[in-house]
Amino acid sequence: ETGVTQTPRHLVMGMTNKKSLKCEQHLGHNAMYWYKQSAKKPLELMFVYSLEERVENNSVPSRFSPECPNSSHLFLHLHTLQPEDSALYLCASSQDPARAGGEKLFFGSGTQLSVL
Amino acid sequence: AQTVTQSQPEMSVQEAETVTLSCTYDTSENNYYLFWYKQPPSRQMILVIRQEAYKQQNATENRFSVNFQKAAKSFSLKISDSQLGDTAMYFCAFLNPLTQGGSEKLVFGKGTKLTVNP
C-alpha cells in the first residue's frame, strides 16, 4: 500500500460528539499536514508536523486537536464542533518541510465532515 | 501577505481542444515557487506542475504547460489535447521560501472547476 490514506471518508457528527480523523502515509515522509477545504474558499493550512513535532498552528480553535504519534500517522481529534466546521479535511505529507525547495505535497482523499 | 487569485470559477472545454486557466498572485518576494494542483472527483489533490521563480523557462509536463510572467505576476496553466480525465478542480498555489520559523506555507487560490466535454 502506498500514498496517503485518510479515514473515514465521510463523517456526520453532532455538535456534542467527539470523533477523530485518521491519516496514514506510506511514503517515508517526515512532515504531515492538516488542511481544511471549505466551499468557495482557498485551502487553509491548519497544522504542520515535522518529525512528530508540531511546527505550525494557524490559529486553529482548540476544538481541533492534532496528534502525531509517529512520522507515519496523524490524527485530528474533534470535540464540540460548530456547523461552520463542516468541510473537507485533507491530510498531506512531504519529505522535509524545512527544505526551501518547494516541496511537493502528497494528499489523501480527505474526510468530508458534516456537523449537524 | 501573499495572495493567489483565480478569476475563473468554472470553465469548460471540448475533448481534444486546448484550454488555459488563469492565475495571478501578489508578493514582494523575488524567489518563490508556483504550483498547479488538480483535484478530481476522487478528491485527492495531485501536483500537476511546478515552477521556480528564478527560472525563466516555462515548466512543461506532457500536455500541461505554464505561461509564467514574473513581472505581471501571472502563472497560467495550458492544457493541450484535453481529455475527459482532466475534469477536475484546478488550484494555483504559491510558496514562499523558508521563513525564520522554519515552516512552509503554501497559499492556494480558490480554484477553477474545469469540465471536459465529450
Side-chain angles (χ1 to χ4, degrees):
Chain A
E1 191 176 342
T2 60
V4 181
T5 305
Q6 288 187 246
T7 55
R9 187 165 174 81
H10 302 274
L11 179 63
V12 179
M13 60 186 290
M15 288 190 285
T16 58
N17 292 157
K18 289 184 181 180
K19 297 287 184 182
S20 296
L21 310 184
K22 180 182 177 181
C23 177
E24 186 174 358
Q25 58 98 358
H26 306 274
L27 300 167
H29 287 168
N30 293 321
M32 297 186 77
Y33 309 73
W34 279 116
Y35 280 90
K36 176 183 179 182
Q37 185 178 14
S38 305
K40 299 182 180 180
K41 291 178 68 176
L43 264 73
E44 301 171 62
L45 177 65
M46 299 176 72
F47 301 104
V48 180
Y49 275 83
S50 175
L51 297 171
E52 305 148 44
E53 182 179 336
R54 190 191 307 181
V55 295
E56 186 73 36
N57 177 351
N58 265 5
S59 302
V60 179
S62 59
R63 57 185 184 269
F64 295 92
S65 175
E67 178 189 2
C68 187
N70 54 63
S71 60
S72 299
H73 294 85
L74 184 66
F75 295 89
L76 188 62
H77 303 299
L78 314 173
H79 178 49
T80 59
L81 295 192
Q82 304 299 311
E84 59 265 29
D85 296 323
S86 298
L88 180 68
Y89 289 84
L90 291 166
C91 175
S93 70
S94 69
Q95 182 61 43
D96 182 359
R99 274 185 57 198
E103 280 283 296
K104 176 180 177 180
L105 291 177
F106 293 77
F107 285 85
S109 298
T111 295
Q112 185 65 54
L113 174 67
S114 297
V115 181
L116 305 179
Chain B
Q2 287 82 19
T3 58
V4 176
T5 302
Q6 293 179 250
S7 59
Q8 306 148 316
E10 292 191 40
M11 293 190 71
S12 63
V13 64
Q14 291 299 121
E15 196 174 5
E17 298 289 308
T18 295
V19 64
T20 299
L21 308 183
S22 300
C23 173
T24 57
Y25 57 93
D26 186 24
T27 184
S28 58
E29 301 291 334
N30 192 45
N31 292 324
Y32 48 87
Y33 304 87
L34 295 161
F35 306 81
W36 279 98
Y37 277 87
K38 167 186 177 181
Q39 186 178 39
S42 67
R43 304 186 323 208
Q44 186 175 30
M45 302 255 297
I46 304 164
L47 179 65
V48 174
I49 203 163
R50 172 181 177 270
Q51 176 80 41
E52 298 165 15
Y54 60 86
K55 289 188 176 179
Q56 291 186 338
Q57 186 173 7
N58 289 326
T60 62
E61 286 288 343
N62 301 314
R63 297 182 295 106
F64 298 88
S65 61
V66 298
N67 183 5
F68 175 46
Q69 301 289 328
K70 191 173 184 179
K73 297 180 182 176
S74 170
F75 183 61
S76 60
L77 175 70
K78 185 172 81 171
I79 305 174
S80 304
D81 185 26
S82 297
Q83 301 176 0
L84 297 178
D86 295 334
T87 292
M89 284 289 292
Y90 286 82
F91 293 93
C92 179
F94 172 97
L95 178 65
N96 210 2
L98 263 186
T99 64
Q100 206 168 12
S103 60
E104 294 182 330
K105 292 185 180 181
L106 198 61
V107 179
F108 286 86
K110 292 184 180 181
T112 295
K113 182 179 180 181
L114 176 67
T115 302
V116 180
N117 299 309

